[in-house]
Structure formats: C-alpha cells, structure tokens
Amino acid sequence: MKSIRTLTIALASLIAMPALAQDATTDTTSDAAGKRFAVVGGAAVLKPDRDPAPGLKIDGDVAPVISASWYATPNIAVELWGAADKFNHRVRADGAGKIGTVDQQPIALSGQYHFGTADQVMRPFVGLGYYESNFSNETIGADGAHVGLETAKGAIATAGVDFNINQTWFARADARYMKGDAGVRVAGQGTGEELTIDPWVVGVGIGARF
C-alpha cells in the first residue's frame, strides 16, 4: 500500500505541473502542442491472459478507468493510470462451476512516447511502467479455509491511439498488458505460492488537454 500512496502523491504532483509547464514552454506551433496536461476517463475490460491453475478459470470484468498525463515534451509523457472502481472476477473450476469471486483494482505509473505531432488527427503511442493491483473481497474457500491474494506487482506495457476531435478534446483506445504475480494466503498465512494471471486491459475513453 505504501507504493500506491506514492503513486497518489505523484498524481497530485502531475496536477500541479501544468501551471509550471505553461510558464516554461516556448512551443507555439499550435495550441495542442502547447498543452502539457491531459486527463482521460473511460471504461475497460480486464481479462486474465491465462488460467491461474489447471482446471481453474477467472472471468474478466468491466470497470471505469481514469488517467492523468504530464507531457515533458509534445512526444514524451508520464501517465498515472488506474481503475476508478474494482474489477469483480468470478472464479470457476472445471466440473464445479463458480467457486467464488475476487475483486482487484490496479494502478500504474508509466512513461510514454506519442508519435507524430500533437495536432494530427490520429496519434499512436506506446508506454512502459510499473503497476500494482490490490485484491480484496475474496470469497474463495479451500477445505473451509479462506484463500486470499496479496497485491500483484510488476511491469505494465501500453499501446494505444488518440483521435483528436479538436485542440482540447480527443478520444482514446488502448490496450495494456500487466505482467506480475500475486502471493497466495490460506487462512491469513502465506503459502509461498504465487498466482499468475497476467491480464490484458482493453479500454476506450474521452480525454481533454489543458
């Protein structure tokens, strides 16, 4: 949770940066190029890339997501992204159907490169960073003992494209891949085992630049 608090502080810093960047920028090629801050709100589907264990499946879910970015240059940005609500996953076992549910809420900090110029209609981008995903409300049982998951941590890769509507508003579609494991606890005790689900997150949203 300490890392998540650190990322939250980073978001507050990003919010404060546009005023400083506006004074410092000398790029006057277009209004879009001079804007250094962007926020995006939308929805995303989180779907595990693999089954966590033979005979065990975790379903995907949809949740609202939000991001804030600061552009150090028109092409290089730092993005803080996360789920505004929890993804709720149904856990199923072969031959037994649903055996429980679990919630997760990821947050990530990434560096991004945006291709082309700020005022072109379609603008693809890629990114790489670090994420954490907190698991909660587990209702999975094993021999009467509660099964819990520790926070997953690891790398996140992003690819997407922005569609400029005007100099302020744009639409976004992106895909993110999170690579990391979550420690497994049974009856509150660590087992030394890790659960690998490596989810994809595919989303769409509407953004604004300032």
Side-chain angles (χ1 to χ4, degrees):
M1 296 302 293
K2 181 178 179 182
S3 297
I4 293 177
R5 288 195 295 271
T6 301
L7 293 180
T8 303
I9 294 171
L11 175 58
S13 299
L14 285 174
I15 293 173
M17 283 180 179
L20 299 175
Q22 185 174 4
D23 293 337
T25 183
T26 58
D27 189 348
T28 59
T29 56
S30 71
D31 288 345
K35 294 177 179 179
R36 292 289 186 254
F37 185 66
V39 294
V40 180
V45 177
L46 188 153
K47 174 66 177 176
D49 182 44
R50 66 184 69 187
D51 296 334
L56 193 66
K57 299 182 182 298
I58 299 180
D59 292 344
D61 192 32
V62 179
V65 292
I66 189 170
S67 69
S69 299
W70 175 68
Y71 288 76
T73 73
N75 298 97
I76 299 174
V78 178
E79 180 199 59
L80 182 62
W81 169 90
D85 199 0
K86 297 175 180 179
F87 294 93
N88 178 259
H89 304 285
R90 182 176 61 173
V91 182
R92 296 181 291 115
D94 291 347
K98 178 182 175 181
I99 61 172
T101 60
V102 60
D103 294 341
Q104 72 165 309
Q105 191 168 15
I107 186 171
L109 185 65
S110 299
Q112 294 180 341
Y113 185 82
H114 294 250
F115 297 91
T117 60
D119 53 0
Q120 66 186 47
V121 176
M122 291 180 58
R123 200 170 187 214
F125 63 91
V126 294
L128 186 65
Y130 171 81
Y131 90 95
E132 292 190 3
S133 193
N134 181 56
F135 292 91
S136 61
N137 300 325
E138 300 97 328
T139 61
I140 309 167
D143 298 326
H146 178 262
V147 176
L149 298 176
E150 299 175 351
T151 299
K153 303 175 182 179
I156 180 171
T158 306
V161 60
D162 290 337
F163 301 89
N164 284 324
I165 300 170
N166 54 41
Q167 293 177 346
T168 298
W169 296 96
F170 62 95
R172 171 171 291 183
D174 57 33
R176 302 168 192 269
Y177 184 70
M178 297 188 291
K179 179 68 176 178
D181 300 328
V184 179
R185 291 178 173 269
V186 176
Q189 300 297 318
T191 63
E193 298 181 357
E194 293 187 329
L195 187 71
T196 300
I197 55 176
D198 294 344
W200 282 95
V201 185
V202 179
V204 294
I206 294 292
R209 298 185 184 89
F210 303 92

